[in-house]
Amino acid sequence: MSVPRTDVLVIGGGIIGAAVADAVAAGGTPVVLLERAQVGSAASSGAAGLLAPLVEAEGPGPFLELALAGRAMFRDAAAALLRDTGVDVGYRETGTLRVAEDDGVARELRHRVSWERERGLGVRWLEPAELASREPLLHEGLSGALFSADDHQVTSSALTHALARRAAARGAVIVEGLGVERLLRVGDRVVGVRTTRGEEYRAKHVVLAAGPWSSTLVPRVTVRPLKGQLVHLRSARTLSHPIFGSDVYIVAKADDRIVVGATVEDVGFDWAPREEATRSLLDRAFRLIPALRDAEVLDAWAGLRPGTPDRLPIIGVRRDAQGLIFATGHFRNGVLLSLITGRIVAAIAAGEPSPVDIAAFSPERFA
Ligand SMILES: Cc1cc2nc3c(=O)[nH]c(=O)nc-3n(C[C@H](O)[C@H](O)[C@H](O)COP(=O)(O)OP(=O)(O)OC[C@H]3O[C@@H](n4cnc5c(N)ncnc54)[C@H](O)[C@@H]3O)c2cc1C
């Protein structure tokens, strides 16, 4: 039996693998994606879909630059995916509100406004009266909010499926229900994979996009699962912006559901939603938006974020594993960073320079 060969073999059909397959296929390069379950069936199926670099970045630096580059791709990509696949990926330009529940938080957020404005970012401080007129359902006693005009949102599951569908239309071979058991190596080079059915695939480049399971294939990659739980509500009332409090976010989605998230739990590969987490999330949400107390609780959902020790993604190549491209460890930002990760990996596979500086995300930092 002849061994299947391809240029790029992607392990994992989450949002990262789908974005990589789409970007590689866009350049006409042969690509095969192996997903052991279904495309978009893990964390990428239910993530809140926030595109919020200014909430996620602690300050200026490489992560902020990567996240801004990623965010900038969404408007055109959403329009192109609708045209190419007919899928509305739920991209909504709403801006976000980061509310201050007391004067201490207000001081911190005002400080952020000053450095973010210096960096040329579209943010401003809202005093309580303006905040109340923008988002009337918010609790009255808030000390103001940081309004970020360019942080938006998308629907993660729709985006994952649209990317995979377009990748296939561009010639990518997407195989579901087939897992990778291990990498095939010749010396320091990764030359392909062996599947759980015992078949071998040879590839010039293997892309590790297995989310929180990445360490099971490359043990020296320090990616661990960090559980996150959300609650979905339905309410006659709606919100104009995603709202971030200090320990909760509340987001009205394109399908009229309201998402309340999210826990961060270090509990291994357990992604069952728990009643206690639901209650705690709802308490936090009702503190900010008391009017949601009469909302219908639809369901709870949990997924596993791929976490790294420094909370930064792992993107790039490592000297002791030539031929292997890392695209993992995106933690809370896999949706936001999906498109830019796809573009970076496609550039590496084509032997071109990365479109953004990825030195800070190098897999060598854990080697
Ligand atoms: C509650 C919650 C809220 C979130 N909200 C946001 C948000 O608002 N914005 C944002 O940007 N991010 C958010 N995230 C993070 C985001 O969901 C993740 O960063 C992203 O989904 C990771 O995508 P991935 O493709 O790397 O991994 P996954 O979605 O986990 O996909 C990995 C895939 O690899 C497959 N796989 C694993 N091992 C193998 C193997 N050996 N062979 C073949 N296939 C394999 C799995 O079956 C899986 O389908 C959230 C996450 C959670 C849990």
Side-chain angles (χ1 to χ4, degrees):
M1 198 178 75
S2 72
V3 175
R5 284 174 191 278
T6 184
D7 279 26
V8 177
L9 186 138
V10 182
I11 307 172
I15 199 162
I16 299 298
V20 167
D22 181 55
V24 170
T29 303
V31 51
V32 173
L33 182 152
L34 300 184
E35 163 55 51
R36 67 175 175 196
Q38 283 81 44
V39 164
S41 54
S44 307
S45 68
L50 293 156
L51 308 173
L54 302 195
V55 175
E56 293 296 327
E58 304 266 317
F63 177 78
L64 178 64
E65 298 309 318
L66 180 74
L68 291 174
R71 186 184 72 182
M73 295 173 70
F74 273 86
R75 182 186 291 170
D76 288 351
L81 283 164
L82 181 61
R83 186 191 62 224
D84 296 346
T85 67
V87 177
D88 174 0
V89 298
Y91 177 66
R92 299 291 180 267
E93 296 195 338
T94 51
T96 57
L97 289 172
R98 205 164 162 187
V99 300
E101 291 166 64
D102 58 45
D103 292 345
V105 177
R107 266 194 302 280
E108 278 168 36
L109 292 178
R110 280 173 182 277
H111 174 67
R112 282 191 77 102
V113 170
S114 64
W115 72 254
E116 288 177 354
R117 285 178 76 92
E118 267 170 38
R119 167 65 182 70
L121 300 168
V123 292
R124 70 189 179 85
W125 179 252
L126 304 184
E127 294 297 345
E130 189 179 358
L131 176 60
S133 71
R134 268 187 174 268
E135 205 62 88
L137 294 184
L138 279 168
H139 167 55
E140 282 172 6
L142 296 169
S143 304
L146 188 165
F147 172 59
S148 174
D150 302 315
D151 276 357
H152 300 310
Q153 59 161 308
V154 74
T155 303
S156 178
S157 56
L159 179 60
T160 307
H161 288 286
L163 288 166
R165 189 183 293 184
R166 187 169 64 185
R170 286 172 163 172
V173 177
I174 310 253
V175 185
E176 296 184 306
L178 183 56
V180 169
E181 183 193 80
R182 64 181 173 85
L183 304 180
L184 299 175
R185 288 173 182 265
V186 175
D188 270 356
R189 211 175 166 81
V190 172
V191 296
V193 301
R194 183 182 170 87
T195 72
T196 46
R197 288 207 294 255
E199 304 143 331
E200 292 190 353
Y201 281 76
R202 299 277 162 163
K204 289 183 194 152
H205 303 276
V206 173
V207 180
L208 182 65
W213 295 276
S214 297
S215 297
T216 61
L217 291 165
V218 184
R220 283 165 59 207
V221 176
T222 36
V223 179
R224 57 184 294 121
L226 289 170
K227 180 180 179 181
Q229 182 168 322
L230 302 170
V231 183
H232 294 120
L233 305 178
R234 185 159 46 217
S235 169
R237 309 164 201 272
T238 194
L239 297 164
S240 305
H241 317 77
I243 310 285
F244 292 87
S246 44
D247 56 6
V248 68
Y249 56 76
I250 305 145
V251 190
K253 300 301 293 180
D255 63 3
D256 288 339
R257 288 182 307 167
I258 293 177
V259 174
V260 177
T263 62
V264 181
E265 303 165 61
D266 192 354
V267 291
F269 285 95
D270 160 19
W271 67 93
R274 306 274 176 212
E275 180 63 26
E276 194 185 346
T278 296
R279 260 186 274 123
S280 158
L281 287 166
L282 291 179
D283 283 349
R284 297 180 219 170
F286 297 158
R287 206 178 59 226
L288 289 183
I289 308 184
L292 286 181
R293 281 182 192 281
D294 65 5
E296 181 186 350
V297 179
L298 296 175
D299 56 39
W301 174 88
L304 300 175
R305 307 175 184 91
T308 60
D310 57 10
R311 301 291 184 256
L312 296 176
I314 305 175
I315 309 172
V317 294
R318 213 164 74 179
R319 273 186 299 274
D320 66 356
Q322 308 279 326
L324 181 65
I325 304 175
F326 293 75
T328 186
H330 291 76
F331 187 41
R332 292 207 306 224
N333 294 294
V335 183
L336 167 64
L337 300 177
S338 56
L339 302 178
I340 191 69
T341 301
R343 188 172 282 180
I344 293 167
V345 172
I348 296 172
E352 294 163 4
S354 167
V356 286
D357 184 358
I358 52 169
F361 315 114
S362 167
E364 299 282 6
R365 72 191 193 277
F366 302 124

